[in-house]
Every structure is written in structure tokens, then in C-alpha cells.
Amino acid sequence: MQIYNTMSRKKEEFVPIEAGKLKLYACGPTVYNYFHIGNARAFIFFDVVRRYFEYLGYDVTYVQNITDIDDKIIAQSIKENKDFGKIAEKYSNAFLEDCERLGIRKPHYQPKATEVMDEIIQIIDAQVKNGHAYESGGDVYFDAESLPAYGSLSGKKIEEQMAGARVEENKLKRNPADFTLWKKSKPGEPFWASPWGEGRPGWHSECVVMSQKYLGETFDIHGGGIDLVFPHHENELAQALATTGKPLANYWMHNGFLNMEGEKMSKSLNNFFTARDILDQHSAEAIRFFFLSKHYRSPIDFNKEIIAESERAIGNIYQALKSLLSESSHSPSDLLTLKISNQALLEELNTFKAAMDDDFNTARAIAVLFDLTRIVKNSAQTLSDREEAAALLLQAGSALGFFQNLDILVEAPMPDLSRQLIDLIISYRAKARADKDWAQSDKIRDDLAALGIELKDSKEGCTWTIKG
Ligand code: AMP
Ligand code: ZN
């Protein structure tokens, strides 16, 4: 499998640290508001990375943090005139709810920054003690010049940052490139006791601690949106190097932006739609389809018409599956485990895997889902080939996070005409019974049973059900 590594700026063969295992960390939200549909791109994409590795048989550990202490949360708590903890709780619950609605599987661990405060203080203390950080006026800063590798992820040189920075920006820092590990609290702000006085941690220290706590000193993949490369990920990496001497992750993956008319969708530009608003208008699978139709590193322009088209595309796939299932004796869950033997379909499977193994080319993988849908619909093919195509469609689609609700594939409402026909046939059987023509009555019951229609006789008459 090839993965584009932001560190080397090229695709590299993926080699896990431990064979058959994937340790994955992706940055979660800062919970000061409802997240927008641009954030959803990052959350959905890393859900796909997790799902695809699981589909390949990897034992995956996926960790995503919740940043529940940050300047933005404090600002929002002042705006809503509520305790900052209440604000963080309100929006982290909303985050979990919206992720569930988006069909994002719960990560194995979802730590909150405030739950790991002791570990955060320890890692900052270690950096102060080994000379990579210094205390200044109750704040603690990382000394960027103390680490020769600083800038290796983003390619930003310390000198450039010094030249670009205004001298008066922060007098407590020795160097404009230095970044905050610990911030002294102002009166009225939330705080934790520390060796440097009362304060709160910087965002970068939170993530390095939460990732290493569950995944170890070095793990396989660290992900997030492209805006996180600098300063967030650069500064997480710096702290790992400063404390363990080892890289934080072997592969750094970053998704491109969801844009609004060419500009990044963001809270600060106020050009966003919340994920929950979009979920009120479109299904989760249409939203997923919209994102996965493009490569994850390409920018995407938000476009409601294209989401509506995605809705139709996914609807057509469902329709094809439903109509095949109505002819087939297999249930959807049978198909999920059906082995594929047809040679042409095995080639489709290879194309799907080759696309996904080529740095998660979901756009090409979705083209395979369309090919399979055509085969499922093609009445010139045998039923068993169409069943295998449907099986592959369900299996590959599930690896991308589609078809989460298999029930809707079989609960197709029966047209009224079918009900009337069944009632008519039952009335003929009632007539046979009245005439004591048991042979005819039994034959009608058995013929209906062969079609999955079960009859039940009682004093009140005959009722019928369709066997699941
Ligand atoms: P935040 O809560 O701002 O830290 O963002 C959470 C995740 O969403 C991070 O991985 C960001 O990089 C990502 N993100 C933010 N804005 C966008 C956008 N417009 N398009 C794609 N990803 C984004
Ligand atoms: Zn992070």
C-alpha cells in the first residue's frame, strides 16, 4: 500500500510498526461550537482509513482527541455566559451526536485533554528539565532553536519565522518561532496548578500526550486537515523529539480543504454550514459519497447540487441491490460474507483494492462500485453472477462506510397489488376448504410457503406473513 507522507512529500510504501496492526491518530475537534461540514471531511476521511485497514484484516487502534480546554472555548463561554466546562460538555456531546449521524464509527479511544492534565504537565516539565523549554512570566515556551530538526514536517525554517515576526509580538518569548506549552491563566479563567503556577496547556502539548498515551512513543499514522501541518503537527513532533528522541509517527496524512467559493470553509471566515444543518437536508451516505468522489488531498468546493446528485447516485445503487435481493434467496448479511469466485468480478475487486492501496484513491474505488451496480442490474447475466456482484458491491462499499443499514435493503414496501393477489389466492383456498377439498387447500398453502408466504389458520380466518 502506498501512502502520501507529508514528511517526505511523496508516496511511500506503508510498513506497519507491528505486522498486521495499525496505530492511527487523527486530530479531533476543539469543542467550542457545532462542527462544520468542512471538519466533517477530515472526520469522515480518517473513518475511511480506519475502515479500509480493518477490511484488509488489520487490528486497528484508532484514537481521536477532543480538545476541551482552549482559548476559543473560554471566549465562547464568555459569549454564552456559561461556565467553560459546560460549553465544552455541550459541544463535545453535539460532536459525538453529529459523528454518529454521519455514520462515523466511534474511535477506540476518544480522550479529552482535561482528563490527561497530569501527563501534560509531566511532558512539559520534562522539556523544561532537558533544556528544550523555558519558563517565562508564568508561561512555558518550547525553545525551537534547541531542536535542529524543528521545521522538518512543514519545511518552515526558524529564520523565516524570525524575519516574518514582529518584534513586539510577545516579549516573553526568546525567539518568535518558540511556541507555548503552558499558558498562565488570567483572573477568572479556568486553571490547573503546575510547577510554573496556575495556567492551562497549549493545544500542541495536549495532542502529543493523548496520542502517545494510547499508541506509544511512535505510532503508524498521524492525520488531520492540511491546516494542521503547521504549527500544530510540527509542534507536536517537536515535543516528541525533545522528550523521546524518536519521531511521533511514521506517516503524516493530511486531507485537503472543503472550500466555499475557493476559500477554506472556516468558523473564522464565517463561510460555513454546520454538519447538523447539512444532515437535516441530506443523508449521511450522500455526504460521504460527495467527499469520497474526490481524492482526499484535492480541494473540494462545497456544492449542494453535487450533494443532491450524490444522493441520487447512492439511491440508484440501493435500488439495484433491493431489486436483486427481491429475486435472490440470499439476505444482505449472507452477501456480506459470500465468497467471490467469478473471474471478472475478482478483477473488479483487484481494481478496487489497487485504487484504495494507491494512497486511498476513493474516487477510483467509487467508479468500481458503479461498474458493479451495472452488473447487478444486468438481466443478461445469471442470477448467481449478479448475486456475486451485489456481494462485492456490499463488501467494498462497506469498507468505505456505505450500507450501514442493511435492513432498508429488504424492507421494501410491498405494492398493494401483491397484497390483493395474496388475499385473492387465500380466498380460493377458503373456498376449497369449505368444499372439503383438502388436497387443493394444502397445495395452495404449500405453493405460497415456497414463495415465503406463511399462512396461519385460526377461528377468525386465515392471516399471512412474509418470512424474513
Ligand atoms: P478544528 O476543530 O478546527 O481543529 O478542526 C478539526 C479537523 O477539521 C482538523 O483535522 C482540521 O484540519 C479539519 N478542517 C478544518 N477546516 C477544514 C476544511 N475547510 N476542510 C477540510 N478539513 C478541515
Ligand atoms: Zn491535534
Side-chain angles (χ1 to χ4, degrees):
M1 182 193 292
Q2 299 275 310
I3 289 184
Y4 182 90
N5 191 347
T6 306
M7 181 59 89
S8 62
R9 300 228 163 357
K10 57 178 197 282
K11 285 186 201 171
E12 291 175 21
E13 181 64 24
F14 176 72
V15 184
I17 294 170
E18 228 182 298
K21 292 195 175 168
L22 174 75
K23 299 203 183 305
L24 168 68
Y25 183 87
C27 291
T30 303
V31 283
Y32 67 101
N33 219 319
Y34 299 112
F35 70 83
H36 60 66
I37 192 73
N39 301 130
R41 184 179 191 189
F43 305 151
I44 291 171
F45 175 64
F46 287 100
D47 177 62
V48 170
V49 171
R50 175 247 182 107
R51 285 174 187 270
Y52 184 64
F53 271 100
E54 284 178 347
Y55 167 82
L56 293 180
Y58 276 77
D59 173 5
V60 178
T61 310
Y62 176 30
V63 182
Q64 183 191 44
N65 67 294
I66 295 179
T67 298
D68 63 344
I69 176 70
D70 184 90
D71 293 359
K72 289 178 188 154
I73 303 174
I74 297 172
Q76 186 69 19
S77 77
I78 294 165
K79 205 164 136 195
E80 291 193 28
N81 194 22
K82 285 196 184 119
D83 177 66
F84 98 98
K86 289 268 176 297
I87 293 293
E89 192 186 332
K90 171 177 166 185
Y91 292 112
S92 68
N93 288 340
F95 162 71
L96 297 174
E97 251 172 59
D98 292 351
C99 282
E100 195 179 335
R101 283 181 72 190
L102 282 167
I104 293 169
R105 280 184 68 195
K106 242 184 132 31
H108 301 90
Y109 299 98
Q110 235 164 356
K112 291 185 175 150
T114 53
E115 296 164 356
V116 293
M117 205 50 80
D118 291 346
E119 287 105 316
I120 294 174
I121 291 170
Q122 276 164 27
I123 198 176
I124 299 173
D125 196 38
Q127 293 170 81
V128 172
K129 290 196 171 122
N130 70 20
H132 284 291
Y134 57 91
E135 188 269 338
S136 177
D139 292 349
V140 180
Y141 295 97
F142 186 90
D143 180 357
E145 276 198 321
S146 74
L147 191 77
Y150 189 74
S152 57
L153 180 65
S154 61
K156 283 202 198 299
K157 302 245 169 5
I158 295 179
E159 308 83 67
E160 285 169 23
Q161 293 180 54
M162 287 169 77
R166 293 210 315 242
V167 188
E168 70 272 34
E169 193 192 325
N170 183 345
K171 293 212 170 67
L172 294 173
K173 286 190 194 180
R174 290 182 193 160
N175 182 328
D178 295 352
F179 59 89
T180 312
L181 299 179
W182 186 264
K183 189 168 176 167
K184 182 181 171 169
S185 52
K186 297 198 188 85
E189 287 182 344
F191 63 83
W192 283 259
S194 82
W196 320 283
E198 291 170 347
R200 62 182 179 274
W203 176 33
H204 320 311
S205 303
E206 299 174 1
C207 268
V208 72
V209 165
M210 286 186 272
S211 55
Q212 288 183 325
K213 175 166 178 164
Y214 296 97
L215 300 173
E217 289 181 347
T218 303
F219 47 92
D220 295 301
I221 298 178
H222 193 315
I226 188 85
D227 52 333
L228 300 190
V229 175
F230 188 87
H232 186 48
H233 289 168
E234 188 74 69
N235 293 352
E236 279 184 50
L237 172 62
Q239 292 178 76
L241 290 170
T243 48
T244 69
K246 294 177 199 157
L248 184 60
N250 286 341
Y251 301 84
W252 294 83
M253 293 180 75
H254 294 100
N255 64 273
F257 290 141
L258 176 69
N259 289 330
M260 284 292 269
E261 289 158 2
E263 260 189 310
K264 178 195 172 192
M265 181 182 283
S266 74
K267 301 247 171 68
S268 52
L269 292 173
N270 204 25
N271 62 350
F272 66 90
F273 291 105
T274 61
R276 50 178 57 196
D277 280 349
I278 301 302
L279 275 164
D280 287 341
Q281 299 154 26
H282 298 282
S283 72
E285 296 203 1
I287 295 169
R288 186 174 283 256
F289 195 94
F290 167 73
F291 284 128
L292 299 189
S293 300
K294 275 253 182 161
H295 193 272
Y296 75 92
R297 285 189 284 116
S298 309
I300 300 185
D301 259 312
F302 180 78
N303 184 322
K304 281 194 177 174
E305 278 83 60
I306 299 182
I307 302 184
E309 260 171 45
S310 305
E311 196 89 69
R312 283 191 288 277
I314 195 93
N316 282 338
I317 297 178
Y318 267 96
Q319 205 43 56
L321 285 169
K322 270 187 187 174
S323 104
L324 181 273
L325 281 159
S326 70
E327 295 170 49
S328 165
S329 58
H330 289 298
S331 71
S333 41
D334 289 343
L335 292 183
L336 267 180
T337 51
L338 191 80
K339 260 194 105 51
I340 312 299
S341 55
N342 174 306
Q343 199 49 45
L345 291 174
L346 285 171
E347 268 159 38
E348 294 280 0
L349 172 59
N350 284 340
T351 312
F352 172 79
K353 281 193 182 160
M356 291 300 285
D357 289 350
D358 180 13
D359 191 29
F360 295 88
N361 194 327
T362 54
R364 265 176 30 218
I366 281 187
V368 175
L369 302 190
F370 281 130
D371 282 349
L372 292 170
T373 306
R374 257 176 248 122
I375 302 171
V376 172
K377 286 208 268 196
N378 185 352
S379 52
Q381 303 258 0
T382 65
L383 180 62
S384 102
D385 284 346
R386 290 169 58 220
E387 283 170 339
E388 281 204 7
L392 185 51
L393 179 55
L394 279 175
Q395 292 165 16
S398 302
L400 301 179
F402 296 112
F403 311 125
Q404 293 195 25
N405 182 1
L406 293 178
D407 293 343
I408 64 170
L409 287 172
V410 280
E411 66 167 27
M414 186 183 297
D416 276 339
L417 188 60
S418 308
R419 294 178 182 282
Q420 287 164 10
L421 283 171
I422 295 171
D423 287 338
L424 186 65
I425 293 165
I426 289 173
S427 76
Y428 292 154
R429 179 168 168 269
K431 173 84 175 51
R433 281 164 71 92
D435 295 337
K436 299 200 170 10
D437 184 352
W438 308 118
Q440 178 69 356
S441 146
D442 287 350
K443 176 153 173 41
I444 293 175
R445 189 195 57 217
D446 294 344
D447 287 351
L448 286 173
L451 297 173
I453 302 160
E454 224 160 37
L455 303 188
K456 213 180 217 142
D457 293 307
S458 67
K459 274 187 260 148
E460 285 75 39
C462 178
T463 54
W464 57 268
T465 50
I466 300 210
K467 276 191 288 183

